[in-house]
Amino acid sequence: MLIKVCGMREPENIRQVEALGVDWMGFIFYERSPRYIGNPANEETACVRAIRESPLRKVGVFVNATPETMMETAARYRLDYLQLHGNESPETCYALHKRGYALIKAFSIAGEDDLKPTCDYEGRVDYFLFDTKCSGYGGSGKAFDWLVLEAYKGETPFLLSGGICPESAEAILQFRHPRLAGIDLNSGFETEPGLKDAERLKTFIDKIKK
């Protein structure tokens, strides 16, 4: 099972989390997010260097950014995936995918009807990410009812997100779905926005990896 830790920002914290056995690391390029990595113009800041040099798969999180902005950011930070968390159309995803970009498309889920739009993105992205439905863009820190995903019959693998915390380990180990590819961890492991508790993450990851 893939383990992605999202909302990283501090260079030392990035290096701490790299050492825990996670697979992917996410960086938020949405200015309204409390975990926005900032806009350091063109200088090579410690944050930029830490991201570029990370050996993990790097995911850039965007909300309704232009394709040009995403491509420029991907080049600068050496991103492996673009995660689209806004109203990006299937056509936009298709165009980026055809240009060789690996994509994750996020969907906000409360009930079965929220899964229907995934049909339009089949074959146009590499993964879906199912997060808890809330007002605005970004996470709520709360979990949705994972049983809703029994209605998902698509072919695209997905990441499970939304409200996952240290106490979620047993529920994740018991959850079964043929398209489950991994989990997305964020605010449930933070001491403050953008700063992860490495010890709590390590304990959780050790349980999941077993």
Side-chain angles (χ1 to χ4, degrees), residues 17-192:
V17 173
E18 284 174 355
L20 300 181
V22 305
D23 303 289
W24 297 353
M25 193 174 287
F27 306 94
I28 297 177
F29 296 93
Y30 176 51
E31 293 184 6
R32 296 185 182 180
S33 169
R35 296 164 187 85
Y36 174 53
I37 69 162
N39 182 19
N42 292 315
E43 67 270 21
E44 289 295 298
T45 65
C47 179
V48 173
R49 288 195 299 273
I51 296 172
R52 286 166 60 92
E53 295 168 4
S54 174
L56 303 181
R57 290 280 193 174
K58 296 178 280 290
V59 181
V61 179
F62 301 89
V63 177
N64 298 327
T66 65
E68 291 75 20
T69 295
M70 289 189 278
M71 289 188 288
E72 290 170 4
T73 305
R76 183 178 184 205
Y77 289 88
R78 299 175 183 168
L79 302 178
D80 298 289
Y81 287 89
L82 307 179
Q83 180 174 311
L84 311 185
H85 235 284
N87 302 316
E88 299 86 4
S89 69
E91 291 73 27
T92 295
C93 292
Y94 182 71
L96 287 167
H97 213 227
K98 290 291 284 184
R99 296 189 71 159
Y101 290 91
L103 302 181
I104 303 166
K105 182 70 182 80
F107 293 89
S108 298
I109 306 298
E112 291 185 12
D113 285 347
D114 297 314
L115 293 166
K116 292 179 180 177
T118 63
C119 297
D120 296 329
Y121 292 83
E122 285 283 352
R124 301 186 175 209
V125 301
D126 298 274
Y127 294 90
F128 293 142
L129 182 143
F130 295 141
D131 201 354
T132 305
K133 195 169 192 175
C134 61
S135 60
Y137 302 106
S140 65
K142 299 179 181 179
F144 65 95
D145 183 359
W146 299 345
L147 292 178
V148 169
L149 299 180
E150 291 180 359
Y152 175 62
K153 307 299 183 183
E155 294 297 320
T156 302
F158 67 85
L159 303 178
L160 188 61
S161 185
I164 298 176
C165 63
E167 294 72 34
S168 305
E170 190 59 36
I172 289 169
L173 290 172
Q174 293 179 3
F175 179 69
R176 296 288 184 271
H177 193 288
R179 294 291 178 262
L180 174 64
I183 54 177
D184 180 70
L185 312 178
N186 197 339
S187 62
F189 294 86
E190 288 185 332
T191 56
E192 62 182 75

